[in-house]
Structure formats: structure tokens, C-alpha cells
Amino acid sequence: MKDLSLKMGSFLSLLTGGQVCLSCGKYTIGVSLCPECQDTRLFHWTAKEGRCSCCGRELVSEIGICTSCRSEPLLTHTEQVLPIHCYRLWKKDLLFSWKTAGMRQLSPIFATLMADFIKKELAELKDCPLVPVPPRKGKIRRQGWDQVDELCRYLKKKHGFKILPLLERKSLEQQKKLDRKSRLENLGQTYCIDEKKLSKSQVPARVILIDDILTTGVTIETCARALKEAGVKEIFACTLFYVS
């Protein structure tokens, strides 16, 4: 049913004459990013050498660690976090099209982007299991899908990654509706280990946390803390976007 809905979305796009590419403004078929912009812009990123070694945001004038991570360190349970793109301009509209407008045809494209990024920028970890940040309870039942869940399904099915859904979400409150202060107050309270899926004899030594966007870092830190307490030794994280 999922693949059929993606094909139907592309078919409807074709019937309605396509849509405007969010990046270059040309008409395109299927998704709101033309194939040329996918190749030259979406699948082009700043290498990890030009990023903060802690939060993964691109460095402008700093070297090694950004000012924010030096002055207010938050990500203390991760070895490194690597978001792919900055959440601004056409990329902001692209994420909106996927998460809010429900353009699920973007799911396999984002999965290929993340797979390529991990294999190139985290090559030594390409065989590590991926742990998705879980959705709010009942979201999939209410809305029919969750973006990170679907992203990981494609990463498993199309790209051969092992997915370990070790986490569960305790809070029903949407993090995106909270300001930084409120998010920090929730640190350690929103996510925890799903004990039903945890086997002490099978806890991996290293994992890669997967999410769609890095905002304050509270979600990644909370999930990483829970995984460390469960016995995971090294935790890396990868997100599609980050808020600068």
C-alpha cells in the first residue's frame, strides 16, 4: 500500500502538469525538487571536516568546536552528531512538503541521501545498526505514517542498513511547539529504552541515532543518554537537517 501511494502521488503530479522545483523554480514531475537540483544541491553537502566535532553544524570562523558547544555543552552522550543540511531557504520548504504536506514521494530520496552521507562521511560506521528516534505514541495510527519510521524502512529495504527500534517516547507533547527553555526542562524525560525490545546480550557496542532535524539537540541527547545507560558504548547521530 505504501509503494502504491507513492506511485499514485507521482501519477497525480503528472496529471496536474507537475509542480515548481523549490530550488530552481523550474517545472518538475513527481516531487517538488527537480532531478538536476537533487544531484547538484541536495546530494552535495559540507564534509565533516568543515563541521563542529560535537554538534556537526558547519563552522564559519571557528576551528574544531563551535562557540555554542564550547560555552554551553549539551551533547555529552554522543561521540559526534552529523546533520546533513541547514534548515533554511528551499530546504526548509522541502522538509515542510515532506513532514507537513505529506509528500511521501520524498521518503526514498531522503533515504538515499542519508545512506550516501553515512557511507561517505561515517564510512567506518556503515555497518552499525541505526536507531530511529521514535514518534509520539499513536501518531502512526492517527496519521498513517511517521517520517523517521518511513525513512528507516527505506534505509533497511533499499540500502541494507540494520534498524534497531530500541527507544520509545514517553511524552505526547510535540517538541517543535516548545521553546529552548522548555525543551531543556524536558531533558531526559521524553524518551527512554523500550525494555520489550532490549536484550542485554544483544546490545550493540556502537549505533547511529537517526532523526529528521536537529533543533536544540535535546532529543538526540535524551535518546543517547538512554542508550548509554542500556549499555551502548559509542553513539553517533545523523539527521537530515539542522537549525542554525
Side-chain angles (χ1 to χ4, degrees):
M1 287 297 293
K2 178 177 62 181
D3 290 338
L4 177 61
S5 67
L6 295 179
K7 291 176 182 178
M8 285 297 296
S10 297
F11 180 66
L12 289 173
S13 174
L14 180 62
L15 286 180
T16 55
Q19 50 201 312
V20 173
C21 173
L22 293 171
S23 179
C24 69
K26 297 178 182 177
Y27 278 98
T28 184
I29 301 296
V31 297
S32 52
L33 192 67
C34 70
E36 182 179 354
C37 287
Q38 290 180 38
D39 291 339
T40 61
R41 298 185 180 186
L42 187 66
F43 286 87
H44 179 76
W45 56 75
T46 300
K48 67 178 181 180
E49 286 75 18
R51 298 166 176 268
C52 172
S53 60
C54 182
C55 72
R57 292 178 171 90
E58 292 182 37
L59 295 171
V60 179
S61 58
E62 307 99 324
I63 298 176
I65 300 178
C66 70
T67 302
S68 178
C69 287
R70 284 201 304 269
S71 60
E72 297 179 281
L74 172 65
L75 297 162
T76 60
H77 287 80
T78 52
E79 320 315 310
Q80 188 174 26
V81 178
L82 279 175
I84 304 175
H85 285 296
C86 185
Y87 179 67
R88 61 186 178 88
L89 303 176
W90 62 270
K91 296 168 188 175
K92 192 173 183 177
D93 295 329
L94 190 66
L95 185 61
F96 177 88
S97 296
W98 185 49
K99 290 189 66 171
T100 306
M103 185 177 285
R104 294 175 68 177
Q105 303 97 302
L106 285 166
S107 297
I109 296 172
F110 282 145
T112 299
L113 170 64
M114 184 164 281
D116 287 358
F117 185 83
I118 291 173
K119 290 174 182 177
K120 292 175 182 177
E121 300 298 329
L122 294 168
E124 70 280 9
L125 304 172
K126 60 182 174 55
D127 296 323
C128 282
L130 309 183
V131 177
V133 171
R136 299 187 313 279
K137 291 182 178 180
K139 178 182 177 182
I140 295 178
R141 183 178 65 254
R142 292 191 304 270
Q143 300 185 9
W145 74 303
D146 171 69
Q147 294 75 33
V148 177
D149 175 74
E150 184 156 291
L151 181 70
C152 285
R153 287 177 184 271
Y154 277 104
L155 284 166
K156 178 180 179 179
K157 181 179 178 181
K158 301 292 186 182
H159 302 282
F161 286 92
K162 182 179 181 181
I163 308 299
L164 284 181
L166 295 177
L167 298 164
E168 66 175 339
R169 182 164 178 164
K170 297 186 289 184
S171 171
L172 296 178
E173 193 172 21
Q174 289 188 348
Q175 289 285 95
K176 66 181 180 181
K177 293 183 178 180
L178 303 178
D179 57 21
R180 177 179 174 82
K181 181 176 181 293
S182 298
R183 287 179 183 234
L184 289 172
E185 289 173 353
N186 281 346
L187 185 61
Q189 301 178 19
T190 308
Y191 300 91
C192 64
I193 290 293
D194 186 343
E195 296 293 342
K196 294 176 292 187
K197 297 178 181 177
L198 182 67
S199 171
K200 293 294 183 181
S201 61
Q202 297 177 355
V203 174
R206 300 195 298 182
V207 301
I208 303 176
L209 265 171
I210 300 296
D211 204 1
D212 54 358
I213 188 167
L214 174 73
T215 306
T216 61
V218 168
T219 293
I220 294 295
E221 173 62 15
T222 301
C223 291
R225 179 191 294 183
L227 289 167
K228 281 281 178 76
E229 290 174 352
V232 180
K233 301 301 182 185
E234 293 183 319
I235 299 166
F236 298 80
C238 184
T239 68
L240 292 170
F241 298 95
Y242 68 90
V243 176
S244 59

